[in-house]
Amino acid sequence: MSQCCLPDPAVGETDERCNARPVKDATEQTRLLAGGDAGSNHGAVEHNENENENNETSNVDDKPLPVWQIAALCYARWVEPVAFFSIFPYINQMAQENGHLADADVGFYSGLIESLFSLTQMFVMILWGRAADRFGRKPVLVFSLIGVSAATALFGMAKTIWQMVLFRCLAGVFAGTIVTIRTMISEHSTSSTQARAFSWFAFTGNLGILFGPLIGGALADPARQYPGLFGNVQFFLDYPYALPSLAVAVIGLSAVAVTALYVEETLIKPPSGGGGSSHNEESATPKPEAYSTWDLVKLPGVPIVLYTYGHIMLLAYSYTAIVPVFWFTKVHLGGFGFSPLQISLMMAINGLAQAIWILLVFPPLHRRIGTNGVVKICAIAYPFFFAVCPFFNLLIRIDTPASTTAFWIACPVVLSLGCGISMSFTAIQLALNDVSPTPATLGTLNSLALAIVSGVRSFSPALFTSLFAIGARTQLLEGYAIWVLMVAIALAFTAVSYHLPDYDEMKRQRERAGGR
């Protein structure tokens, strides 16, 4: 087997050079010629031409990664998770004050706000993608960043529940950053550099999870948190949650400046004129086999990988929605009774731990046990991670100095270790790469997965925070009913993880089919 046909261990994709047809054509033609010198010379000429073509492809693949372009795009990418997670430390308190809500009803409304935000994103995502293809990546990215910054600033000045919903949905309308940055990073990278580029992309997202809650928790209600500085500022007395939103908006505008000044356009439009030898040569190039969306979904291994992708995202988004409400809820109702600042610190620990797991632990672990091995380990850990949450509430309920000390020692440690389950997010993305029949279909598969993610994200926050609120109000199973449900869903994922396909065998079958 030629080395270029081996899957890239860092990315999990088959090199596009495996599909190069001239090598195969030259071999077939050589067999038809007589075995004289002419045939040998012809075969040698064909072999040299193929070597030159492969060398040209290698030169393309060896193109260095434009580090500063990737860094600028990652900074723009950082804005999205900062804007998304910055409201988590104070959204429950803000909703309670704006809507005059009972403690047990806070979760429903905070979940509703986040669900409508994601539903809005799902509806506009394809429109932003088409706009980026028509008008260019850079203008769409700049315009989206301006919109997100403005909508985030307005959210902090909302005085009613419905204003919170309106401004949060307005932020969701400007979802062009997500689609455009992913596309631009792909267009800047090659098959040999995309793994490194997207690892930075993922790391930046985790930095957003780290800094977003810190900004939100540290700056929320400044007149009460820092009376010496802001106690006499009437604006912050009238709008206690404006400062963190304005801070995030300033970060967004700084990303607008960086993008507008330094980011290069990556969309290369084909020339409008026709004809010419280059056009004819391009037309003569064999096209890869085309798959409709329905044909792609029916291919072996694709349905189970897409389902597993959705299942993992259901666990991730439901936990992300529940945990701020769980930490905010009073201890006697089944929560931790944290303040907004404590919530922000715990979420910062969460983001930092995820970044460490993905950057330092995932690469060597993946090389050792493979994609499915990482998914299975995370699938086994999920039920235990969820089951420990009610255990910690029991520890606080004891309310002794020893139990309180044990809680503050054990909880951050267990949270940091449990964040290792975040490796499943990267692993299932590699599984999606591996199950793709050709590199040309990977974009369609990613679009399908992104649609599933948006759909899950649109209903899971409202659903699971509502279930948490019902459990807290009724004290069903001592307020722990939601965690019983989460453990059950996690156990279902554990079972599903053992049915993922053998990607190496699938590739061997494709190679045999291509050789016939």
Side-chain angles (χ1 to χ4, degrees):
M1 185 185 298
S2 173
Q3 185 177 0
C4 74
C5 292
L6 292 175
D8 185 346
V11 185
E13 295 180 0
T14 303
D15 197 311
E16 292 186 17
R17 286 170 288 173
C18 298
N19 298 323
R21 296 300 299 274
V23 175
K24 179 182 174 184
D25 293 342
T27 304
E28 290 175 352
Q29 187 175 2
T30 303
R31 290 195 188 110
L32 293 175
L33 294 173
D37 292 340
S40 301
N41 291 337
H42 182 79
V45 170
E46 292 285 343
H47 179 71
N48 290 335
E49 289 177 354
N50 293 328
E51 280 189 348
N52 291 334
E53 291 177 4
N54 286 338
N55 288 336
E56 291 175 1
T57 307
S58 299
N59 291 335
V60 173
D61 288 342
D62 291 339
K63 183 182 72 172
L65 193 67
V67 174
W68 291 110
Q69 286 296 305
I70 299 298
L73 290 171
C74 284
Y75 181 68
R77 186 270 186 278
W78 183 63
V79 174
E80 194 267 338
V82 166
F84 182 78
F85 285 99
S86 64
I87 74 168
F88 276 40
Y90 62 82
I91 186 173
N92 297 293
Q93 188 170 316
M94 184 180 182
Q96 188 174 40
E97 293 174 0
N98 286 343
H100 308 288
L101 305 174
D103 287 347
D105 295 330
V106 170
F108 170 77
Y109 286 95
S110 61
L112 176 66
I113 291 168
E114 291 313 306
S115 293
L116 292 176
F117 169 82
S118 299
L119 191 64
T120 304
Q121 282 192 324
M122 181 179 68
F123 284 125
V124 303
M125 197 85 68
I126 296 177
L127 298 178
W128 282 115
R130 290 177 179 173
D133 287 339
R134 181 175 181 180
F135 302 110
R137 321 297 192 203
K138 183 173 177 176
V140 168
L141 179 56
V142 171
F143 184 74
S144 299
L145 286 171
I146 293 173
V148 168
S149 302
T152 303
L154 290 172
F155 179 83
M157 289 181 277
K159 298 298 289 183
T160 67
I161 291 290
W162 296 114
Q163 285 178 351
M164 293 173 67
V165 170
L166 174 63
F167 295 141
R168 193 62 169 164
C169 288
L170 183 61
V173 168
F174 296 97
T177 56
I178 305 171
V179 178
T180 310
I181 293 173
R182 285 177 182 269
T183 304
M184 295 181 80
I185 289 179
S186 297
E187 291 170 337
H188 271 305
S189 57
T190 66
S191 59
S192 59
T193 60
Q194 63 180 346
R196 184 157 51 105
F198 277 97
S199 68
W200 294 349
F201 177 86
F203 177 68
T204 310
N206 282 283
L207 287 182
I209 300 174
L210 169 64
F211 286 100
L214 282 178
I215 294 170
L219 300 182
D221 202 357
R224 190 179 305 170
Q225 286 201 75
Y226 315 106
L229 289 174
F230 303 103
N232 296 323
V233 181
Q234 189 61 40
F235 177 79
F236 293 124
L237 291 172
D238 295 336
Y239 301 97
Y241 304 102
L243 185 58
S245 294
L246 290 173
V248 173
V250 169
I251 294 172
L253 291 177
S254 70
V256 170
V258 169
T259 302
L261 294 175
Y262 300 110
V263 168
E264 299 173 358
E265 177 60 66
T266 59
L267 177 63
I268 302 175
K269 294 183 178 181
S272 56
S277 59
S278 60
H279 176 76
N280 294 333
E281 290 175 4
E282 184 177 339
S283 302
T285 303
K287 303 295 182 183
E289 183 179 359
Y291 291 91
S292 68
T293 302
W294 180 242
D295 289 338
L296 192 60
V297 169
K298 294 189 296 182
L299 289 176
V302 172
I304 187 64
V305 170
L306 287 175
Y307 172 79
T308 306
Y309 202 117
H311 202 135
I312 291 174
M313 292 301 108
L314 176 64
L315 290 170
Y317 287 131
S318 57
Y319 176 76
T320 302
I322 290 170
V323 75
V325 187
F326 170 61
W327 289 344
F328 175 78
T329 300
K330 301 295 188 293
V331 173
H332 71 276
L333 293 176
F336 286 172
F338 283 171
S339 68
L341 181 58
Q342 289 172 326
I343 292 174
S344 67
L345 290 173
M346 294 296 284
M347 294 189 74
I349 292 173
N350 183 17
L352 180 61
Q354 284 193 25
I356 292 173
W357 278 102
I358 291 174
L359 275 182
L360 302 181
V361 179
F362 176 77
L365 186 64
H366 180 263
R367 284 193 297 268
R368 186 175 182 85
I369 64 176
T371 300
N372 286 356
V374 175
V375 173
K376 288 176 183 176
I377 286 180
C378 294
I380 293 170
Y382 262 104
F384 293 100
F385 183 63
F386 293 151
V388 81
C389 293
F391 169 77
F392 280 129
N393 173 259
L394 285 172
L395 201 60
I396 305 177
R397 284 193 185 190
I398 297 174
D399 197 21
T400 64
S403 65
T404 303
T405 302
F407 170 82
W408 285 110
I409 293 174
C411 187
V413 173
V414 172
L415 177 65
S416 300
L417 293 175
C419 284
I421 59 177
S422 62
M423 293 188 296
S424 61
F425 310 151
T426 307
I428 197 61
Q429 179 63 53
L430 296 183
L432 199 69
N433 293 345
D434 289 340
V435 83
S436 178
T438 68
T441 60
L442 189 56
T444 304
L445 274 179
N446 274 294
S447 299
L448 289 169
L450 197 58
I452 292 171
V453 169
S454 299
V456 170
R457 192 173 176 179
S458 68
F459 75 84
S460 55
L463 174 62
F464 283 88
T465 50
S466 298
L467 293 175
F468 179 87
I470 292 171
R473 184 187 300 114
T474 62
Q475 284 296 287
L476 181 63
L477 299 179
E478 301 295 325
Y480 303 144
I482 188 65
W483 298 114
V484 174
L485 176 62
M486 293 296 292
V487 169
I489 298 174
L491 287 172
F493 170 48
T494 306
V496 168
S497 67
Y498 284 89
H499 296 281
L500 288 171
D502 184 338
Y503 311 109
D504 292 335
E505 178 59 29
M506 292 177 63
K507 289 173 183 176
R508 285 192 291 269
Q509 291 177 0
R510 290 169 191 155
E511 288 169 2
R512 287 195 294 267
R516 286 196 293 268

